């Protein structure tokens, strides 16, 4: 059942249409920043974003059911967004890059008594032999992230059974391989209704066959007779393909003071990706279109990014950041990332920048305040490296973002604060075919659109506003 949280957004005071042009002294800039933030938040609406989400759904429907990187669905999505941004007056760049595309052709885990356990192949997994791989299991200690979790020869010739958490799937695979394991099966760290997918992040990380299963299945296997063999079949077809980031920036802004907002445009191959991450893409796109109505430079350059191949391991954003010169990196004041902002059982999360690149902690405070203005108490969560902020943080660029949750379960306390259903996933259709137009919460979308709009509006005139504590 797809729940809807109650509408909790108070209307902002309507403001007249403003055309903000030319340079301004500091006091005037602060005034213009606040006025732009407010009018932009008023104009950037869920109705506008839903136009783009409807277009993404139609594109997926006409493109094999998805918008994955390297597919016609993604190319059409990129062209749709790029044409709107060009018409709005932005300088648009289609940044193309190559990557290793993977298409799963086999994913099966079977016990020796013939019971099938649902499993999802990790992107860039190594393939099992054509006739599958049969071996007993061995449970990793801890979370399988260090050599101590695979003592002695306990895993040699066996399939490592590893709990999700603490380190990347690639790190777990590397440690399991070093211990002599022939494959790795990762079980979820939170209860859910099925297996989960993920990525090893790079083709070179595919040192073992690696798949994901549900926590319930993982715990059942761990409690059983580990010496009874299981059969694992995992295979992916690899192709070299090309995909594209869409980058759009304002004309007339200071090229040495750049503010960025971005979201990944690609879906997984299992569905249209309307919440993940059509919602973030639609939010960034609609904010850009409305900013064009009100801002013609005089402050910072505002650059919007719709990334590709995030689902394959943050490849688009990493390609972009790796290609920046030292001066170009130094010019970026802040990067704002929006990945899943309309989950149907929504949480309201803001990334906690404590200990991250300088300025990131201040970004947390400002985004939290933007939600508080709407009567919403945000919950800080750590950066976990799973979205496109990661390459920016690694480059020392301040970053932040808001999102509404993925496959994790909403707690009783969260349901009391935000509405929705405790004990159910924030997004029950995460990485699934049902992530369609019915898999959205309008109130959550509207709330996060106002966060994006206010953040962009403030920092357009005051590029250090978000990285400076109140």
């Amino acid at each position: 059942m797809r729940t809807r949280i109650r509408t909790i957004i108070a209307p902002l005071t309507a403001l007249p249409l403003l055309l903000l042009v030319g340079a301004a002294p500091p006091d005037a800039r602060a005034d213009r920043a606040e006025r732009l933030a407010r009018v932009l938040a008023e104009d950037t609406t869920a109705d506008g974003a839903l136009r783009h989400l409807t277009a993404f759904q139609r594109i997926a429907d006409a493109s094999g059911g998805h918008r994955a990187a390297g597919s016609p669905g993604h190319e059409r999505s990129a062209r749709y967004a790029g044409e709107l941004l060009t018409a709005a007056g932005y300088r648009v760049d289609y940044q193309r890059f190559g990557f290793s595309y993977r298409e799963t052709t086999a994913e099966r885990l079977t016990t020796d008594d013939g019971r099938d356990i649902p499993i999802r192949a990790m992107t860039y997994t190594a393939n099992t032999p054509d006739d599958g791989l049969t071996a007993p299991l061995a449970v990793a200690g801890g979370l399988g992230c260090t050599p101590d979790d695979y003592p002695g020869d306990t895993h040699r010739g066996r399939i490592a059974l590893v709990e999700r958490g603490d380190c990347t799937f690639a790190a777990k695979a590397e440690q399991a391989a070093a211990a002599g394991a022939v494959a790795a099966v990762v079980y979820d760290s939170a209860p859910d209704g099925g297996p989960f997918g993920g990525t090893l992040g790079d083709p070179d990380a595919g040192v073992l066959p690696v798949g994901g299963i549900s926590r319930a299945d993982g715990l059942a296997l761990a409690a059983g007779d580990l010496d009874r063999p299981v059969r694992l079949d995992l295979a992916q077809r690899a192709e070299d393909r090309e995909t594209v980031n869409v980058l759009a920036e304002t004309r007339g802004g200071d090229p040495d003071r750049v503010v960025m907002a971005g979201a990944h445009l690609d879906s997984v191959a299992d569905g249209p990706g309307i919440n993940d991450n059509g919602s973030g893409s639609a939010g960034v796109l609609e904010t850009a279109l409305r900013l064009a109505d009100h801002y013609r430079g005089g402050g910072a350059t505002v650059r919007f990014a719709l990334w590709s191949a995030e689902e394959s391991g943050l490849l688009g954003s990493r390609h972009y950041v790796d290609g920046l010169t030292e001066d170009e990196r130094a010019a970026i004041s802040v990067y704002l990332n929006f990945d899943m902002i309309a989950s149907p059982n929504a949480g309201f999360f803001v990334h906690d920048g404590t200990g991250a690149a300088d300025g990131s902690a201040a970004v947390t405070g400002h985004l939290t305040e933007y939600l508080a203005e709407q009567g919403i108490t945000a919950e800080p969560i750590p950066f976990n490296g799973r979205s496109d902020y990661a390459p920016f943080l690694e480059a020392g660029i301040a970053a932040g973002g808001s999102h509404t949750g993925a496959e994790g379960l909403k707690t009783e306390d969260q349901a009391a604060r935000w509405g929705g259903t405790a004990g159910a996933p924030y997004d029950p259709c995460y990485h699934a075919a049902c992530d369609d137009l019915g898999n959205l919460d309008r109130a959550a979308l509207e709330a996060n659109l106002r966060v994006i709009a206010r953040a962009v509006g403030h920092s357009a005139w005051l590029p250090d506003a978000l990285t400076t504590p109140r």
Side-chain angles (χ1 to χ4, degrees), residues 43 106 148 189 193 199 260 345:
D43 285 1
D148 290 342
S189 54
T199 179
M260 289 192 68
N345 191 30

Side-chain angles (χ1 to χ4, degrees), residues 106-346:
E107 45 188 11
R108 188 174 184 182
L109 178 63
T110 309
T111 62
D112 68 340
D113 59 1
R115 183 169 64 91
D116 282 334
I117 296 174
I119 188 168
R120 296 284 299 280
M122 299 282 181
T123 303
Y124 303 127
T125 179
N127 291 343
T128 56
D130 291 343
D131 57 351
L133 184 158
T134 300
L137 295 164
V139 179
L143 293 173
C145 298
T146 70
D148 290 342
D149 293 333
Y150 306 87
D153 288 332
T154 55
H155 286 74
R156 187 164 302 282
R158 292 176 175 252
I159 298 171
L161 185 61
V162 190
E163 185 176 4
R164 183 179 187 174
D166 269 12
C167 62
T168 65
F169 301 129
K172 294 177 190 292
E174 181 180 11
Q175 293 295 341
V182 294
V185 172
V186 183
Y187 65 91
D188 211 347
S189 54
D192 61 21
F196 71 95
T199 179
L200 301 182
D202 186 275
D204 293 338
V207 293
L208 288 178
V210 184
I213 63 174
S214 73
R215 181 171 184 80
D217 284 333
L219 293 177
L221 288 172
D225 184 352
L226 298 177
D227 290 326
R228 297 178 64 177
V230 298
R231 176 190 170 92
L232 180 66
D233 291 272
L234 295 176
Q236 290 180 341
R237 179 169 60 87
E239 288 182 4
D240 289 332
R241 291 195 181 182
E242 185 181 74
T243 190
V244 60
N245 293 326
V246 181
L247 300 162
E249 66 177 38
T250 53
R251 301 175 185 270
D254 184 348
D256 295 323
R257 307 302 303 277
V258 178
V259 173
M260 289 192 68
H264 75 88
L265 186 58
D266 60 311
S267 74
V268 295
D270 291 321
I274 299 303
N275 185 41
D276 183 18
N277 182 37
S279 62
S281 296
V284 168
L285 176 57
E286 184 64 13
T287 302
L289 297 179
R290 300 289 68 82
L291 180 70
D293 295 335
H294 303 294
Y295 181 73
R296 294 292 185 270
T301 291
V302 183
R303 185 176 301 149
F304 297 96
L306 297 175
W307 308 116
S308 186
E310 188 270 358
E311 297 290 4
S312 298
L314 319 182
L315 303 185
S317 55
R318 194 168 298 284
H319 174 80
Y320 171 80
V321 173
D322 287 349
L324 296 173
T325 66
E326 185 174 339
D327 287 344
E328 288 169 337
R329 292 187 185 193
I332 300 173
S333 299
V334 65
Y335 171 70
L336 303 169
N337 191 72
F338 301 96
D339 191 349
M340 302 179 66
I341 61 171
S343 301
N345 191 30

Side-chain angles (χ1 to χ4, degrees), residues 54-82:
T54 300
F56 293 152
Q57 180 71 65
R58 289 172 178 166
I59 287 169
D61 291 344
S63 308
H66 65 85
R67 301 180 302 104
S71 73
H74 181 266
E75 288 289 324
R76 292 165 182 160
S77 299
R79 185 167 63 248
Y80 166 83

